[in-house]
Amino acid sequence: MSVDAAPESSIPAPEGEVALIETDYSIGQDNVQPRLGPIGLDIHNPVFVVSALVIVAFVIIGALFAGSIDPYFEALRNWLTSNFDWFFLIAGNVFVLVCVVLIVTPLGAVRLGGKDATPDYSYIGWFSMLFAAGMGIGLMFFGVSEPISHFTSSLGGVAVEDGVRTDWAPLGAAVGDADAARRLGMAATIFHWGLHPWAIYAVVALALALFSFNKGLPLTIRSMFYPIFGERIWGWPGHIVDILAVLATLFGLATSLGLGAQQAAGGLNFVFGVPAGLDTQLVLIVIITAMALISVLRGLDGGVKVLSEINMGLAALLLLFVLLVGPTLSILSGFGANLVAYAKEVVPLSMPFGRADDNFRQGWTSFYWAWWISWSPFVGMFIARVSRGRTVREFVIAVLIVPAIVSVLWMTVFGGTAITLINQAGLTEIADAALELKLFVMLEGLPLSAVTSLVGVVLVIVFFVTSSDSGSLVIDTITAGGKVDAPVSQRVFWCTFEGLVAMVLLVGGGLAALQAMAVSTGFPFAIVLLLACYSIIRGLMDEPR
Amino acid sequence: MFSKIIVPVDLTHADRLSRALEVAGKLAKLYDAPIVYVGVSPNVPTEVAHSPAEFEAKLAAFAEAEAAAHGVAASAHAFFSHDPAIDLDEALPKLVKELGGDLVVMASHVPGFLDRLWHSHGATLAGHTDASIFLVR
């Protein structure tokens, strides 16, 4: 009796020595299999039910009290990011340091999925998925606007009222010096999109991949706390972590879908003169959700992976276009200069104490860190699922360095071009335009803007579809207790539910409030992730290298 | 009449397979054809196995037990997919071809409302393979 060798169409069965965790818990043991009419489900009992009920409750509250609760949620978020800015900054630095340790120590030699495992995806498919899940859509909105904001505030210099700084410039600003302001502005932007956010994702993804692929625990957030809580993770401590992850992911996705629809409608209005009213926004959500549903039904390889590769291809074309028709030389020299500026400023920018730039540190950096952390269960879980077969070192370098360099390139090309257009061609309307329109206003300053703007709108939509699709897969897996082969109707439910939540919030109001709440979950998750760093090191030390 | 019988098995619900397994065993004996038990699993830990290696071992043990019970030659073939809930329909016809099966015996459910939207795996397989299909309900 022998097992046949895997044929070509199969993923090679990656194996080898691993340090499995011996537990009596069997995956799916807390699952229930109810039937709703013709639809059979396979769901984790408290996690699915509690998450769904809490989401419905929050949507109803958000819509009923729209306008009146917004200030409370926003105050909560501001209170957290302003009072705990030091904590977010320290946590961010810890994540980067842990990643560096994993790259340089022998722990990096451990292979995810066992000693003899081979990677599931090629580098291109892998990078495309990492990137599209990680920040794709944000780069579309902030690629032009953020460098301009920091450049403008740095150029404006420090303003002090009653002994408190009222300007939003990073560090000590660069009053009146356009070149220095440009360097500082680019360094600050890259800081927010570079090593730190990717270190956050890397920690979550690595913890999940390690405890699932090497330790044999279910692919769900609670598994990464096994070294700390032991068997208790199967009870309420684990339920709470999983439910929080589902809420953060769904609220994050639904609110960014709602706000994104407003922005995309703004873009369509600017480019094609389509009315940007509520009707257009709702139609956009329906289109995005329908496309995401098709993709969900095509599975991981036929759906998300294909979409991510389309995204990367289109984004690369747009990038190349702006690079070639924009100020090519200035962009090329800017790339090196921006990397140097980032290297020079990254330490001062990540200092949690002894700084005077309160607005920048609390309003930008701390907010971003909370935001990235609240996204990390979603992005981390997705990255984990597609990273089997990589060594820890390869994984961390790929998740940390490659996307960070692509972000530098993107910011240099889009932000740098915009700053050059403002400085040299006097296109100040880029700086004056609304956030979501800055990209399109900049493209208008370059040739063939009708074509490039269309590519821009398509990119925004496809990035949303990708997020909605991968988010549904992640939520479905968590609410199915770590099963990735639960009935397909469940991911259809989550994908549709997310679109519905976005539409209800768009019509009834409450988008801003719920987004503020989603970002607020960054605070408890930051604590959770610090614990995960300990789990990773402990877990890796047991692995055969 | 048949030279190789393919039996897709879901180890999670092995208890629901008894009728299909019985039919496959009898046909194998009748035509003196070996059986290949095909198991499809995601590559993340599942309720059946913690790792692909464990899944392969369990499937092999399952095949061995079936072979002994029916007195026929049998082997196991494990297939790992990133997303089995979706990929199964595409993977099954390929596997049947690669393994050289000319009869597939599989357990199936009575079609319900949802089958109008999503075909059952058996129905989809019949449309995409040259082999004969025996659905056991």
Side-chain angles (χ1 to χ4, degrees), chain B:
Chain B
M1 189 185 294
F2 299 111
S3 59
K4 200 177 214 179
I5 302 175
I6 308 288
V7 182
V9 290
D10 178 356
L11 289 185
T12 323
H13 302 114
D15 51 320
R16 293 185 204 162
L17 301 174
S18 53
R19 285 160 63 85
L21 295 174
E22 182 74 29
V23 170
K26 293 225 158 100
L27 287 174
K29 190 114 189 157
L30 179 64
Y31 296 111
D32 193 23
I35 300 181
V36 184
Y37 293 95
V38 173
V40 177
S41 169
N43 56 5
V44 302
T46 64
E47 55 205 299
V48 175
H50 294 100
S51 67
E54 191 182 338
F55 183 82
E56 284 182 335
K58 282 196 170 172
L59 188 65
F62 175 86
E64 201 162 359
E66 285 297 313
H70 300 291
V72 294
S75 61
H77 182 87
F79 177 81
F80 298 98
S81 148
H82 295 132
D83 197 354
I86 300 285
D87 296 341
L88 190 62
D89 281 339
E90 210 169 297
L92 272 183
K94 278 190 195 160
L95 283 169
V96 171
K97 197 171 177 195
E98 278 167 13
L99 296 168
D102 49 7
L103 171 65
V104 180
V105 178
M106 63 194 288
S108 186
H109 59 280
V110 178
F113 166 72
L114 264 195
D115 293 284
R116 292 178 190 278
L117 300 174
W118 282 294
H119 286 286
S120 72
H121 297 309
T124 310
L125 177 60
H128 292 86
T129 179
D130 299 337
S132 304
I133 313 288
F134 190 154
L135 294 183
V136 184
R137 286 179 174 147

Side-chain angles (χ1 to χ4, degrees), chain A residues 506-520:
Chain A
L506 205 53
V507 176
L511 271 173
L514 276 193
Q515 195 180 42
M517 209 199 71
V519 173
S520 304

